[in-house]
Amino acid sequence: MSIFARHQVFEKNSILLLIGILLVIAIGGIVEITPLFYLKSTIEKVEGVRPYTPLELAGRNIYVREGCYVCHSQMIRPLRDEVERYGHYSLAAESMYDHPFQWGSKRTGPDLARVGGKYSDEWHVTHLVDPRSIVPASIMPGYGFLGDTDLDFHDIASHLKVNRAFGVPYTEEQIAHASDDVRAQADPDNKGVDDFQKRYPKAASRGFGGKPGRITEMDALVAYLQMLGTEIDFKLYDDKADLR
């Protein structure tokens, strides 16, 4: 008797079909749930991960506003081809302060989870202004207007407060100095740079958008892109630390 003939038993008996469905779902559930019992937490604590600076958060808001997530995911899967192309697979901890996270299942362009530091600020600005000057076959639209639009950050402290309500550990000091920190990160000559870097260790301070004397939306977006994937030193990362 062929396998197709054997399958007729389930097709002709709804009770057996229902039992078979429940059995398959139960096995699938066990396979998915059991590994969680071997973890101390589904989001491991990883050294180096910090909340976004106010300028980076503003850049992230622009990234979401312009729909960049539609073509660019920020999730490197633990598959050989992805790891060799993009770098270490993504960790849940890297997205723990994202609301919403930028994971995805479709890529029209490359994954951006490790794009930080891969290219210069000038490269990003040129690519955003005229994508085909960098990648001739690109179908990405140009975003030159970002460099001509001053960043509106008068309410950036409120953005930090909302994120804190969702669990991002912004302090009262960080919220109170949010606007000052935007200016300090976008201008390395600003007198508040030292205080800014104390509040956000290892955060870079420079003119990301290439227009001294102005803080544009380009500054914010490039600042955000340049920090993606740079927080964790994977030479020191222990992937077994979260096991029981």
Side-chain angles (χ1 to χ4, degrees):
M1 183 182 294
S2 69
I3 188 172
F4 298 105
R6 293 174 186 273
H7 195 268
Q8 292 180 8
V9 176
F10 292 96
E11 295 177 348
K12 295 178 179 180
N13 191 317
S14 59
I15 300 299
L16 282 178
L17 179 61
L18 177 60
I19 293 173
I21 292 172
L22 293 175
L23 182 61
V24 171
I25 292 174
I27 293 173
I30 291 172
V31 170
E32 290 184 346
I33 295 172
T34 300
L36 299 179
F37 289 98
Y38 293 93
L39 299 175
K40 297 175 184 177
S41 172
T42 53
I43 300 180
E44 73 277 39
K45 293 182 179 180
V46 181
E47 185 177 353
V49 177
R50 62 164 174 79
Y52 295 110
T53 67
L55 184 64
E56 293 164 357
L57 183 61
R60 187 179 186 279
N61 291 340
I62 294 168
Y63 182 95
V64 174
R65 182 193 75 192
E66 299 300 328
C68 302
Y69 59 88
V70 175
C71 294
H72 297 282
S73 62
Q74 290 179 27
M75 181 177 66
I76 303 170
R77 300 160 183 80
L79 303 173
R80 180 177 177 180
D81 62 323
E82 298 211 8
V83 171
E84 289 187 353
R85 179 179 182 184
Y86 298 117
H88 196 285
Y89 60 82
S90 296
L91 305 179
E94 294 180 276
S95 299
M96 65 190 299
Y97 299 138
D98 284 6
H99 300 286
F101 58 76
Q102 297 300 295
W103 291 17
S105 59
K106 178 184 180 296
R107 294 185 189 130
T108 299
D111 188 276
L112 300 182
R114 303 267 175 264
V115 75
K118 187 175 182 179
Y119 307 106
S120 67
D121 295 341
E122 292 77 14
W123 187 97
H124 281 291
V125 172
T126 302
H127 181 245
L128 287 164
V129 172
D130 182 9
R132 276 149 296 284
S133 67
I134 302 293
V135 184
S138 175
I139 61 171
M140 174 178 161
Y143 293 91
F145 64 90
L146 297 177
D148 298 323
T149 306
D150 290 329
L151 180 67
D152 182 3
F153 57 94
H154 75 280
D155 61 346
I156 192 63
S158 298
H159 285 250
L160 268 64
K161 287 182 180 179
V162 171
N163 274 264
R164 186 170 69 174
F166 283 102
V168 182
Y170 285 116
T171 65
E172 288 294 340
E173 181 184 9
Q174 288 173 322
I175 293 173
H177 292 87
S179 294
D180 294 334
D181 287 342
V182 169
R183 298 184 184 92
Q185 187 170 14
D187 179 9
D189 296 323
N190 187 285
K191 62 181 181 180
V193 170
D194 290 340
D195 290 334
F196 159 72
Q197 292 183 332
K198 289 179 182 178
R199 285 188 280 271
Y200 300 94
K202 298 182 179 179
S205 176
R206 58 180 185 265
F208 296 93
K211 291 190 175 181
R214 292 183 64 184
I215 303 176
T216 66
E217 291 190 343
M218 185 70 77
D219 285 291
L221 181 56
V222 174
Y224 169 66
L225 293 173
Q226 289 288 43
M227 63 78 56
L228 291 176
T230 64
E231 298 175 306
I232 301 173
D233 184 350
F234 284 101
K235 294 180 181 178
L236 304 176
Y237 171 66
D238 181 6
D239 60 357
K240 302 294 192 300
D242 197 44
L243 296 177
R244 292 184 185 277

